[in-house]
Amino acid sequence: MTLTQLATSPPATGPDRSVNDPPSPSESFARAQLRRVFRSWPVRMALGALVGLVLIAIFASWLGTSDPTELSPGARLKGVSAAHWLGTDSLGRDVYSRAIFGSRVSLVVGLGAATISIAIGLLIGVISGYSRSADAIIMRFMDGVMAIPGILLAIALVSLVGANLLTVLIAICIPDIPRVVRLARAVVLSVRSEPYVEAATTLGTRFHVMIWRHIVPSTVAPLIVQGTFIFASAILAESVLSFLGAGIPPETPSWGNIMADGRVYFQLQPGLILFPGLLVSMTVLSINLLGDAMRDGLDPRLSGRL
Amino acid sequence: MTTSSRPDSYRVRVLTVSELKVETSPALERPPLVSGICFDVCAGETVCIVGESGSGKSVTSLAIMGLLPKGALEVTRGSILIDGEDVLSASETRLRQMRASKMAMVFQEPMTALNPVQRVGRQIEEVLRLHTSLTARHRRNRIMEMLEAVHLPDIERIYRAFPHELSGGQRQRIVIAMALILKPKVLIADEPTTALDVTTQKQILNLIRELQQSQQTAVVFITHDFGVVSEIADRIVVMNRGRVVETGTRDQILARPSEDYTRTLVSSVPSLVPRHRSDPAAHKVLEVVGLGKTYEKPQFFGRARAVAAAKDVNLTVARGEITGIVGESGSGKSTVARCIELLIEPSSGSVMLNGDDLTKVRARDLHSVRRRVQFVFQDPYRSLNPRRTVGDSVMEGLINYGMPRRDAFGQSAESLELVGLDRAVMSRYPHQFSGGQRQRICIARALVMKPELLIADEAVSALDVSVQAQVLTLIDDIRVRTGVSILFITHDLRVAAQICHKILVMRRGEVVEVGDAMTVLANPLHEYTRTLIEAAPGRDWDFQNFRPIHAPSATIN
Amino acid sequence: MAKYLFRRVLASVPVLFVVAFIVFALLRLSPGDPAMILAGDGATPAQLDAMRHSMGLDRGIIEQFVIWLSKVLRGDFGVSLITGLPMRDLVLDRLGPSFALCLSTITLAVVVAIPVGVVAAWRQGRALDRIIMSGSVMAFSVPVFIIGYVLILLLSRGLGWFPVQGYRPLSEGIGAFALHLTLPTLTMSAPFIAVISRIVRSSVIEVMGEDYIRTARSKGLSERGVLFKHALGNAAVPIATVVGLSIALLLGGAVVTESVFNIPGLGRLVLEAVLSRDFTAIQTLILLSSVTYVVINLAIDVLYSILDPRIRY
């Protein structure tokens, strides 16, 4: 224990504090730390923003002023007005309504990408961390996937297989999976050499029980943190893919699609890009802040890393 | 150790610490880390600060160096005079000038104390660059002299070496060379030998004493080990929970301690006097024959190189007795233990447990034999899953073997009571317990399985000396009450002497000596065993009875 | 040292093989038929078969892979399905602008991020650190193209300092070259600066807690001396890692930036290939950028052994 830790950790108790003290609440130090981190105001604002976003996505049908896919050729590229709170796009669709509905796409893509890549990555990572023969093959394959630039792989996949929400989701997940695998594998490797895991072995704990009881729980905290960052980067990736014309079909209301549409008319109507851009940025920023806070709280050693 | 008999008028006081108080900063509602610390050290004298973990001895040493972490800890009272100059009121610039030239420090962990990406010669040279105006050639000469003075071999090579190319003992010599090259008035040594093997420890202690005498350095030696204290101290400061308990000369503290705390601490120090005698007729629970473990070190070119971690090890553990394996780091003692437990697969030999050869057990039958051998690990902080309650951890084994939860609960509670814990602890988490308590929990977890053999791998090494004594007593007590047979692995010959009936001495994977504890310690046959016994700190002192064993020798050389 | 180098080179061979396999397999996933695209809508079935045969599409998948791989190894990447030009010429033609953009970006990123990260670590927990870290998290939360458009809006359209879009090669004068490259460089480097400075900060903070830093202080070294003589040298390995990874990510960033600023580089070529479903071009470009990644990582591995004497196994 370093001195700084000494100064910041709870007061030292004597070597043999009476074990018959009234039991303290079984709240671990990490949880207390997490609670402290979540008390800071930027994190609270981020949380608030995200809650708001989720509400918007759920109640989009009530919040939108018109059908986000309805074309009105007569009202193209209109500015801000009472009828169109954020103007209209090049096909006369209401930008405000499209943005409201677009939050659904962003949340689905972000959550979906985080869930899928964590689930697959955890599975492969645990196998890799436990089986030496599988490890060699798996890690070479993962190195190969990691060598391919994520954006390139994603746009190639989408354009080759065809653009829809699912392919976009998968295309965004694939480059993230190797990173999750590496993280999960690293945690498994370090945990499986912990004396408490060896102790469980000597107590006759069987392999599959060991995985669930002792190994997987210790991957939860780092993977949640990683998942948060994947959530954020997936939203960014979706907007980039749509912007490049390799995203979900252009008629679907998504923030990326609004910006892609506004690209050509940027000089004329900068709001078409800047407003959804602001939404994307605020959302991603909030998630990143939350991720930082969780990392600081759950695993102070990782503080400051990505 | 003759300095204490020198007339007081010759003494020059070079370090005076008075009424020192260190608090966390910003001051939280928390007791100060240390307060009311007073002691002084004279030129050429060694003052040992002794205390268990959390006693504040390291905080005190950092305060003397002016190295307390800024913004975290702060001296709020008192003064520290070095050569008449107050460290606490010195400016930052002046403090930097004083470091290494007036006061220097040697740290506990030689493996991490040196910058890994710089050659050691340059790291020593940095001290000279900072504090002298010597030319490059003179600097080099001084460094070479110093490397020779710390008895390093092949100093030309060492000068150019990176830290990772040196052994722990060599690195500690480098750190000492760095600390003493400017002949500082005060040397603070913070547990400088704790991380080293006993034989290396002996050499380093001799070296510090030798340089101290030639330079007339005042040494503040911080340690938890009364064995070391009895060998090097002129005077002793006993600390506990941030306060000085007692100060006095070596003989006063060791022979006539006036405080109860000191008394307990001193009498907890294990001595080399063995207590048990093995019964040659007892039934052999464990018989290991010709056990070997080799690791294949894959080479890129050519065939894999085989590294033997254990070679042809034979040992027995008799029913109700404790067999100890003693050895320094890298001796293969833990490899043997892990082979017996089948945590790793032995390369050769057999492990007979009550007549069954464990090495012949097929992988799928492993489960059925696991419970017959149980393990207690070294690190009490890592051998319990922090996410599971104590009850879940202790019950885990029983439930694995199909016992209903209710029964497992009852047996676990009994087991915990056997090790002196209340059954109420079962609903709590490991982080709520001290190291000693956790080790008790681990013992309870092993015992609840009713093993035929219990392996304790350095089970008391991480504990403070008073807790260590308690746990040793507990283990012996349990052995008597339950009749369990124990294989006890330790690096500390003194601990082995306290508890073992039979002792094996291992070196570099081989057993060099084996026999009854009495015989091995009283009449060692192998030279290495004799070296270990001679290096064991404090063997001239009978701590339990507060008296020297022989007439104290004048020097330790 | 030579042994270490040799081992590293050898270790990257399977990675390259995996990359080649993935890239090859990727295109076989697609439901479209390259022969159909090339032959056009009006082609007869006989024409299509001839086309398939000439492209080798009628052979077994393994055989196709082997043929393709052996060609690639000889530097023959095939012919673009759309333009009919050899891929090698196409790539060389577009290399210049991308190379200029990537080089200026990574230079700017490193030059700015390292001092910024060190300063943040230096003032850890204080106001300056918080400002830097907040700026950093914002910089990689904004889509790169948004940064680009905002810069265009402010500096080109607003103040008129820079051209809105386009690219001038160095041969047309350094002034025009630099002027056209400034905004794209600023845009593209923003997230890299953010990420690198975060890593620099955390590495330096971590190193400053090590035992040898305490040793250095006990020698009487000033805080500045501790930082420059001991901390930075040890923080170099993680910093080199993140810089290397950034270099490898540049081409991905170039796709977006070149498309915002209308720069005729490899990034734009990727996009054109994807939108026109030019399979050969997609294959070649992904393969080349992956190989670049592997080679750069190899170079970093070698750099490690120079930065840290312990890594020479």
Side-chain angles (χ1 to χ4, degrees):
Chain A
M1 187 186 253
T2 68
L3 280 164
T4 341
Q5 278 174 308
L6 194 78
T8 49
S9 64
T13 49
D16 257 312
R17 184 167 57 128
S18 164
V19 288
N20 298 320
D21 288 348
S24 57
S26 64
E27 179 187 301
S28 68
F29 178 67
R31 216 174 294 170
Q33 181 83 4
L34 204 57
R35 195 173 284 185
R36 192 182 59 80
V37 166
F38 275 96
R39 222 167 269 159
S40 82
W41 64 264
V43 177
R44 288 188 164 188
M45 276 176 60
L47 258 177
L50 287 176
V51 170
L53 188 70
V54 170
L55 291 178
I56 289 173
I58 293 172
F59 299 110
S61 337
W62 285 278
L63 291 168
T65 49
S66 61
D67 182 348
T69 53
E70 187 190 281
L71 310 179
S72 48
R76 299 172 62 228
L77 295 172
K78 285 280 186 286
V80 174
S81 68
H84 303 290
W85 296 354
L86 293 170
T88 59
D89 67 7
S90 65
L91 299 172
R93 295 172 294 199
D94 180 49
V95 172
Y96 166 76
S97 302
R98 282 180 76 72
I100 293 288
F101 279 90
S103 64
R104 288 185 172 176
V105 171
S106 288
L107 286 180
V108 166
V109 167
L111 250 145
T115 318
I116 295 172
S117 43
I118 293 290
I120 297 176
L122 174 63
L123 181 71
I124 302 178
V126 169
I127 294 171
S128 195
Y130 250 99
S131 156
R132 206 181 271 191
S133 48
D135 185 47
I137 298 166
I138 291 174
M139 290 325 284
R140 285 301 79 70
F141 190 76
M142 290 299 147
D143 284 347
V145 177
M146 270 177 82
I148 303 173
I151 292 186
L152 261 59
L153 187 61
I155 54 177
L157 271 174
V158 170
S159 70
L160 289 170
V161 185
N164 58 51
L165 193 57
L166 189 67
T167 50
V168 168
L169 198 52
I170 291 169
I172 289 174
C173 282
I174 287 178
D176 279 329
I177 289 174
R179 277 168 261 276
V180 180
V181 170
R182 284 187 160 218
L183 179 66
R185 173 177 177 270
V187 175
V188 170
L189 284 179
S190 79
V191 172
R192 67 177 282 195
S193 64
E194 283 289 316
Y196 70 78
V197 171
E198 292 198 322
T201 310
T202 68
L203 292 170
T205 306
R206 287 177 190 276
F207 177 72
H208 60 277
V209 180
M210 182 77 83
I211 298 284
W212 278 112
R213 200 182 275 168
H214 296 287
I215 306 285
V216 170
S218 44
T219 63
V220 169
L223 285 184
I224 286 180
V225 173
Q226 180 81 357
T228 320
F229 292 124
I230 292 177
F231 194 154
S233 74
I235 292 179
L236 273 183
E238 186 276 325
S239 74
V240 167
L241 285 183
S242 299
F243 176 81
L244 293 175
I248 51 177
E251 63 276 10
T252 315
S254 91
W255 295 342
N257 278 340
I258 305 173
M259 293 188 275
D261 178 79
R263 233 182 117 173
V264 187
Y265 312 98
F266 170 64
Q267 312 253 5
L268 214 64
Q269 280 270 54
L272 278 180
I273 281 190
L274 294 186
F275 179 67
L278 190 67
L279 281 176
V280 172
S281 306
M282 295 311 287
T283 308
V284 173
L285 180 64
S286 303
I287 300 169
N288 277 333
L289 284 175
L290 217 57
D292 278 353
M294 283 207 278
R295 184 203 48 216
D296 293 350
L298 289 172
D299 194 350
R301 279 172 305 126
L302 289 174
S303 231
R305 289 201 204 143
L306 278 178
Chain B
M1 275 169 239
T2 48
T3 39
S4 55
S5 57
R6 215 157 46 184
D8 269 6
S9 51
Y10 285 100
R11 297 177 152 204
V12 187
R13 218 169 263 175
V14 286
L15 170 66
T16 311
V17 176
S18 44
E19 288 300 324
L20 181 72
K21 185 176 188 179
V22 177
E23 289 181 279
T24 49
S25 138
L28 303 165
E29 286 170 22
R30 192 178 288 184
L33 282 114
V34 299
S35 72
I37 305 294
C38 296
F39 65 92
D40 52 47
V41 192
C42 301
E45 187 189 31
T46 300
V47 169
C48 281
I49 302 185
V50 199
E52 300 189 291
S53 48
S55 62
K57 50 193 198 304
S58 289
V59 172
T60 309
S61 66
L62 288 178
I64 298 171
M65 290 295 291
L67 281 176
L68 288 174
K70 283 193 190 56
L73 299 178
E74 200 179 16
V75 176
T76 50
R77 239 192 104 186
S79 67
I80 298 170
L81 299 179
I82 289 182
D83 230 5
E85 189 171 353
D86 194 348
V87 173
L88 300 176
S89 58
S91 71
E92 196 51 48
T93 322
R94 179 63 195 146
L95 250 183
R96 286 206 297 272
Q97 286 169 354
M98 289 171 77
R99 285 183 200 135
S101 62
K102 294 257 180 192
M103 67 256 193
M105 190 156 179
V106 175
F107 300 96
Q108 172 171 2
E109 203 34 87
M111 301 317 260
T112 54
L114 293 168
N115 185 342
V117 304
Q118 257 178 33
R119 294 178 197 277
V120 295
R122 213 180 122 200
Q123 295 190 48
I124 304 177
E125 192 187 8
E126 190 172 33
V127 178
L128 296 177
R129 279 174 185 273
L130 280 167
H131 298 281
T132 68
S133 49
L134 295 175
T135 62
R137 200 158 51 85
H138 283 105
R139 284 202 300 265
R140 198 185 149 86
N141 290 343
R142 277 284 289 280
I143 295 166
M144 288 305 172
E145 278 168 28
M146 202 62 210
L147 289 179
E148 212 147 307
V150 296
H151 306 304
L152 279 165
D154 197 2
I155 52 175
E156 287 289 337
R157 184 185 65 83
I158 299 254
Y159 183 88
R160 276 176 281 112
F162 284 104
H164 71 277
E165 296 165 343
L166 307 177
S167 71
Q170 287 175 327
R171 291 190 211 188
Q172 201 61 303
R173 285 170 198 270
I174 297 288
V175 176
I176 291 171
M178 209 145 82
L180 292 181
I181 196 164
L182 292 174
K183 300 191 168 48
K185 298 281 182 196
V186 180
L187 175 71
I188 299 160
D190 186 357
E191 306 256 12
T193 58
T194 307
L196 304 172
D197 280 329
V198 273
T199 46
T200 319
Q201 160 164 301
K202 179 96 176 171
Q203 294 163 4
I204 296 288
L205 291 179
N206 282 340
L207 175 67
I208 292 177
R209 167 52 54 117
E210 182 191 325
L211 293 171
Q212 170 187 29
Q213 281 175 350
S214 70
Q215 297 189 0
Q216 280 301 298
T217 321
V219 173
V220 179
F221 197 101
I222 291 156
T223 180
H224 67 283
D225 188 341
F226 264 106
V228 172
V229 171
S230 75
E231 299 202 345
I232 63 163
D234 294 315
R235 284 187 300 135
I236 299 172
V237 177
V238 181
M239 282 184 73
N240 183 34
R241 302 198 189 183
R243 292 184 172 274
V244 171
V245 177
E246 195 172 351
T247 316
T249 64
R250 182 186 75 133
D251 290 0
Q252 276 169 3
I253 300 286
L254 294 184
R256 300 176 298 280
S258 54
E259 297 291 321
D260 283 347
Y261 179 76
T262 318
R263 209 161 242 291
T264 319
L265 214 54
V266 172
S267 63
S268 301
V269 179
S271 74
L272 265 178
V273 185
R275 292 179 174 177
H276 299 300
R277 192 175 278 281
S278 171
D279 173 10
H283 168 73
K284 303 281 180 284
V285 171
L286 178 77
E287 275 192 275
V288 173
V289 183
L291 184 80
K293 176 70 192 173
T294 46
Y295 288 101
E296 300 274 297
K297 204 175 174 189
Q299 294 290 102
F300 193 65
F301 298 105
R303 270 193 317 176
R305 198 156 49 101
V307 180
K311 270 181 287 194
D312 194 28
V313 174
N314 299 300
L315 71 92
T316 58
V317 181
R319 172 170 295 154
E321 289 194 351
I322 301 181
T323 297
I325 304 182
V326 180
E328 297 186 299
S329 54
S331 63
K333 53 189 193 302
S334 288
T335 306
V336 172
R338 297 162 73 80
C339 281
I340 295 170
E341 175 66 59
L342 299 177
L343 282 171
I344 51 178
E345 204 180 321
S347 315
S348 59
S350 60
V351 177
M352 308 291 288
L353 183 68
N354 282 324
D356 302 326
D357 190 345
L358 299 187
T359 57
K360 299 274 189 303
V361 173
R362 279 168 304 174
R364 60 194 161 94
D365 298 330
L366 212 53
H367 185 72
S368 60
V369 297
R370 283 264 191 239
R371 66 178 304 168
R372 297 170 63 187
V373 184
Q374 287 299 312
F375 219 98
V376 178
F377 294 88
Q378 171 171 8
D379 189 344
Y381 290 91
R382 290 166 62 196
S383 45
L384 291 166
N385 188 337
R387 290 178 192 79
R388 291 167 67 77
T389 62
V390 168
D392 281 336
S393 286
V394 178
M395 288 190 292
E396 179 165 10
L398 293 176
I399 290 173
N400 282 337
Y401 287 96
M403 184 179 281
R405 204 180 158 83
R406 178 196 295 266
D407 297 353
F409 191 89
Q411 292 202 8
S412 301
E414 278 170 29
S415 185
L416 284 165
E417 279 165 2
L418 185 68
V419 299
L421 294 172
D422 192 280
R423 59 170 63 207
V425 305
M426 290 181 73
S427 58
R428 300 217 229 148
Y429 285 89
H431 70 95
Q432 293 169 284
F433 297 92
S434 68
Q437 289 170 331
R438 290 188 209 201
Q439 210 56 311
R440 282 170 196 263
I441 295 169
C442 293
I443 293 170
R445 176 175 64 182
L447 286 177
V448 79
M449 302 298 286
K450 307 239 168 358
E452 293 159 42
L453 178 72
L454 181 68
I455 302 177
D457 187 359
E458 298 276 14
V460 297
S461 306
L463 305 176
D464 275 328
V465 61
S466 59
V467 183
Q468 183 181 57
Q470 290 166 15
V471 174
L472 282 176
T473 311
L474 172 76
I475 291 177
D476 206 40
D477 187 41
I478 284 168
R479 177 189 63 85
V480 173
R481 279 207 270 167
T482 64
V484 68
S485 314
I486 300 174
L487 183 62
F488 193 92
I489 288 137
T490 180
H491 69 282
D492 192 337
L493 206 51
R494 298 173 296 172
V495 169
Q498 292 309 296
I499 196 166
C500 297
H501 296 77
K502 222 162 35 189
I503 291 179
L504 260 88
V505 180
M506 285 190 74
R507 183 180 58 170
R508 289 184 218 129
E510 285 176 286
V511 178
V512 298
E513 181 150 4
V514 57
D516 191 85
M518 293 275 183
T519 324
V520 170
L521 288 168
N523 299 305
L525 296 175
H526 197 279
E527 188 202 344
Y528 179 66
T529 314
R530 280 197 290 274
T531 317
L532 277 187
I533 292 175
E534 271 160 32
R539 66 196 190 96
D540 293 338
W541 199 274
D542 181 358
F543 293 96
Q544 278 85 356
N545 298 307
F546 303 99
R547 63 180 183 212
I549 288 176
H550 315 290
S553 50
T555 59
I556 55 169
N557 291 332
Chain C
M1 183 72 183
K3 213 163 104 184
Y4 170 76
L5 207 74
F6 184 65
R7 276 175 45 157
R8 299 309 308 162
V9 172
L10 220 61
S12 45
V13 170
V15 178
L16 285 172
F17 186 81
V18 170
V19 168
F21 181 76
I22 293 174
V23 168
F24 179 78
L26 196 64
L27 296 192
R28 298 291 164 244
L29 278 178
S30 69
D33 183 345
M36 198 105 87
I37 296 172
L38 203 60
D41 289 340
T44 65
Q47 278 174 315
L48 266 180
D49 280 346
M51 182 66 79
R52 285 204 186 96
H53 183 73
S54 74
M55 291 173 73
L57 291 173
D58 53 349
R59 299 178 202 227
I61 189 94
I62 304 287
E63 204 183 340
Q64 284 186 44
F65 179 59
V66 172
I67 293 171
W68 175 74
L69 196 62
S70 62
K71 275 190 182 168
V72 164
L73 286 175
R74 274 179 275 134
D76 175 8
F77 295 99
V79 175
S80 159
L81 292 183
I82 305 301
T83 60
L85 296 168
M87 275 315 299
R88 195 211 304 235
D89 298 350
L90 263 178
V91 168
L92 287 177
D93 193 39
R94 299 290 193 97
L95 195 59
S98 291
F99 184 73
L101 179 60
C102 290
L103 192 66
S104 61
T105 297
I106 200 68
T107 312
L108 181 70
V110 168
V111 166
V112 175
I114 291 182
V116 164
V118 170
V119 166
W122 190 244
R123 314 298 296 175
Q124 187 196 354
R126 315 258 189 98
L128 188 59
D129 175 34
R130 295 215 181 127
I131 292 168
I132 290 173
M133 282 303 104
S134 314
S136 147
V137 71
M138 280 183 216
F140 64 79
S141 296
V142 179
V144 176
F145 55 86
I146 295 293
I147 299 176
Y149 283 122
V150 168
L151 286 178
I152 292 176
L153 213 56
L154 294 177
L155 302 182
S156 303
R157 299 242 304 152
L159 298 167
W161 290 354
F162 300 100
V164 173
Q165 284 179 324
Y167 173 79
R168 298 284 177 278
L170 197 52
S171 53
E172 290 182 25
I174 184 125
F177 171 76
L179 215 55
H180 280 83
L181 210 56
T182 306
L183 286 190
T185 302
L186 286 177
T187 303
M188 201 160 133
S189 58
F192 289 107
I193 292 175
V195 170
I196 297 175
S197 63
R198 259 166 86 108
I199 300 286
V200 170
R201 173 182 178 271
S202 66
S203 311
V204 171
I205 287 175
E206 203 177 317
V207 168
M208 289 298 277
E210 297 284 347
D211 282 357
Y212 50 80
I213 295 297
R214 192 177 55 180
T215 309
R217 287 195 180 118
S218 77
K219 287 181 190 174
L221 212 59
S222 64
E223 284 301 296
R224 190 185 299 267
V226 168
L227 180 72
F228 285 103
K229 290 192 181 137
H230 294 277
L232 282 187
N234 280 284
V237 166
I239 294 174
T241 310
V242 69
V243 170
L245 288 175
S246 307
I247 294 174
L249 291 173
L250 281 172
L251 191 58
V255 175
V256 179
T257 310
E258 287 177 10
S259 121
V260 170
F261 290 96
N262 214 1
I263 297 171
L266 289 174
R268 274 273 302 283
L269 187 60
V270 169
L271 207 57
E272 288 160 17
V274 164
L275 297 181
S276 61
R277 302 172 68 79
D278 185 342
F279 290 175
T280 328
I282 297 175
Q283 224 169 22
T284 310
L285 290 166
I286 293 185
L287 190 68
L288 284 179
S289 55
S290 308
V291 171
T292 315
Y293 174 95
V294 173
V295 169
I296 287 169
N297 270 288
L298 197 62
I300 291 165
D301 274 350
V302 175
L303 187 64
Y304 283 166
S305 66
I306 297 166
L307 292 174
D308 189 339
R310 284 168 299 179
I311 311 177
R312 273 174 206 168
Y313 36 86

